[in-house]
DNA sequence: GTCTTAACAATTGTCAGACATTTAAATGTA
DNA sequence: TACATTTAAATGTCTGACAATTGTTAAGAC
């Protein structure tokens, strides 16, 4: 009646993970030492260590050396969760051949969901952050990567304006994971000008508490971005054909 | 000028992770054997193994035993990403004392984002799935947990109706991570009836391609769910005070 | 008595070597 | 050719040891 045919370290990690998820092990509580865990689970210390490394990789525990050291249940922080979500989303997009249009559609649909809240709750600080990024996007000599990075920062500020940390967390993946895809686009001066105009009107709409206008601008931005992606694709196809 | 003050296994895992993320290691490509990695990095095999377990915990690699075995770059699957996202979201909600209202607000805002696409693309199959869950929700003797599970399944079908896998992935976390919070609510017959009515009208709206109506129903559902949460909280406060 | 310093103990981090287990491929045989 | 056997390569696991870190405690200086 063995658990399964998996590694011992996988099984043990699963047991400990359950204990954390169900609250049997509370935040900041100390796990037994590696030697104790080895004894109670009837395995050697390296096996226990491999199990603990698995949990550490998921930010479920942290370890400290020394006398009062050991493995402690980690309070999962938003920053850790953000980071994980972004790398996971990035990998999903790159490894599963998600086309640009699908990713764009999802991104802007999610951002649109923030607008009703953002128009209610945006503070002067949010508006200032957005306008600062707009200014950065208009600067001469800005690289395409720099433009994309500023674009992400602009939208991040917009999402934060909704004042809901859960929304911010969920959208971090969607927005930032798009950046590698966006970086494939070459932005002409005219492209940038069009996008900056949308950003300006969008910021104005938030400032004026005009949800409908903001939604319309996001829709325009989505359509324009998808069109840019299609143009790049068409150019690439043409070049490979000619 | 050492790399940093972190574990060797952490550093090595980071190097390998970068190689995978940047595409230097392609999907299904085989990593060097543990012995080779140990030699090239100048560390022992256990240290290499700990590094590999970290990557395995993030579903970045899979390992196979035997002659042609080894560690291979894993194609990140949606199911794996779902699972990780749900546990992460659940932990975030439980460990960071996110209140019910904030979580609810985020969940329904995100679902609302799917509606324009869902009204365009819903198939008879999606509608059938939704109606099946509505039927399940009306059954006598259904536990509160069962009701919540069916509620999640209903909304999952609705999200899938948008026909965008990226959206489905992003929302899996938001919707399913809410379930533990939802399970804290005790649903009276009248509560259930109200929710089922909303579900029916929502499904009707999708069938009739009426986005505005669907959005209105989601808003009602959000408000009603938040109200239920507030009632539970009020009762609990009253009991502890009395 | 108090402060400083040194020894100590507990714990994680790392290493070396060995053996067990699994699996694909090579080899041998009918 | 088809099937059984051997072999080699790789991961999985164990044992035992030592290094590095850090809190505690005891000793000693003033």
């Amino acid at each position: 009646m063995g658990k399964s045919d998996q590694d011992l370290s996988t099984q043990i990690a699963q047991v400990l993970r359950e204990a954390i998820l169900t609250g049997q092990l509370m935040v900041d509580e100390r796990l037994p030492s590696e030697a104790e865990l080895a004894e109670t689970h009837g395995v050697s210390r390296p096996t226990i260590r491999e199990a603990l490394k698995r949990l550490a990789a998921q930010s479920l525990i942290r370890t400290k050396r020394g006398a009062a050291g050991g493995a402690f249940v980690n309070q999962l922080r938003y920053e850790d969760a953000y980071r994980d979500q972004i790398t996971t989303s990035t990998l999903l997009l790159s490894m599963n051949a998600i086309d640009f249009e699908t990713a764009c559609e999802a991104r802007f649909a999610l951002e649109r969901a923030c607008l009703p809240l953002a128009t209610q709750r945006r503070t002067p600080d949010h508006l200032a952050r957005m306008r600062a990024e707009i200014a950065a996007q208009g600067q001469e000599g800005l690289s395409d990567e720099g433009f994309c990075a500023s674009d992400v920062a602009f939208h991040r500020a917009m999402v934060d304006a909704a004042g809901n940390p859960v929304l911010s967390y969920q959208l971090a993946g969607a927005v930032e994971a798009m950046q590698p895809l966006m970086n494939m686009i070459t932005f002409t001066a005219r492209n940038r000008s069009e996008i900056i105009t949308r950003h300006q009107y969008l910021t104005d709409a938030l400032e004026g508490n005009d949800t409908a206008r903001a939604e319309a601008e996001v829709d325009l931005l989505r359509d324009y971005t998808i069109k840019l992606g299609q143009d790049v694709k068409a150019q690439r196809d043409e070049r490979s054909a000619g």
Side-chain angles (χ1 to χ4, degrees), chain A:
Chain A
M1 215 43 177
K3 301 278 175 70
S4 61
D5 52 352
Q6 286 181 317
D7 295 2
L8 290 176
S9 70
T10 305
Q11 295 175 34
I12 292 168
Q14 186 58 37
V15 168
L16 294 174
R17 183 181 295 112
E18 283 301 319
I20 294 174
L21 261 51
T22 61
Q24 295 167 45
L25 286 167
M26 302 292 287
V27 169
D28 291 336
E29 189 172 341
R30 182 179 174 281
L31 275 65
S33 71
E34 295 174 352
E36 287 176 282
L37 285 172
E39 193 166 4
T40 59
H41 287 85
V43 299
S44 67
R45 195 157 81 93
T47 301
I48 290 292
R49 284 182 60 81
E50 289 178 7
L52 293 179
K53 295 313 168 201
R54 297 181 117 104
L55 299 181
Q58 297 175 305
S59 305
L60 287 175
I61 61 170
R62 62 180 185 280
T63 55
K64 221 178 58 171
R65 286 169 75 161
F72 300 83
V73 178
N74 203 22
Q75 163 122 25
L76 188 58
R77 302 196 174 286
Y78 275 105
E79 305 89 64
D80 298 331
Y82 280 153
R83 191 174 27 69
D84 284 5
Q85 231 225 326
I86 290 167
T87 64
T88 301
S89 299
T90 305
L91 273 174
L92 263 184
L93 292 188
S94 69
M95 283 184 174
N96 291 276
I98 298 291
D99 59 84
F100 185 78
E101 200 166 329
T102 302
C104 255
E105 186 179 272
R107 173 191 160 173
F108 287 106
L110 292 171
E111 289 191 5
R112 205 176 187 280
C114 299
L115 294 177
L117 295 169
T119 49
Q120 279 176 44
R121 300 181 186 163
R122 91 287 179 288
T123 65
D125 178 58
H126 293 125
L127 296 173
R129 276 170 64 195
M130 292 169 75
R131 296 210 190 277
E133 294 300 335
I134 291 174
Q137 288 157 22
Q139 281 184 332
E140 289 289 326
L142 183 64
S143 68
D144 282 342
E145 282 74 17
F147 185 77
C148 285
S150 174
D151 181 70
V152 166
F154 172 86
H155 286 275
R156 188 59 189 277
M158 193 188 82
V159 170
D160 287 344
N164 186 312
V166 180
L167 266 184
S168 293
Y169 160 68
Q170 294 288 349
L171 265 78
V175 175
E176 306 210 12
M178 276 285 297
Q179 200 167 355
L181 292 181
M182 294 287 288
N183 278 336
M184 291 168 48
I185 295 181
T186 311
F187 292 96
T188 66
R190 184 166 172 184
N191 294 154
R192 294 190 186 187
S193 168
E194 172 76 19
I195 291 173
I196 290 171
T197 302
R198 296 276 80 77
H199 286 175
Q200 281 169 335
Y201 286 149
L202 183 48
T203 311
D204 291 345
L206 285 198
E207 187 160 25
N209 308 104
D210 188 345
T211 303
R213 174 70 185 284
E215 287 179 341
E217 290 296 333
V218 166
D219 288 346
L220 287 173
L221 205 47
R222 176 197 59 205
D223 295 341
Y224 190 70
T225 307
I226 289 177
K227 181 179 160 300
L228 285 181
Q230 287 171 339
D231 289 350
V232 168
K233 185 168 181 297
Q235 279 176 18
R236 200 176 41 208
D237 290 351
E238 192 177 311
R239 210 176 311 157
S240 70

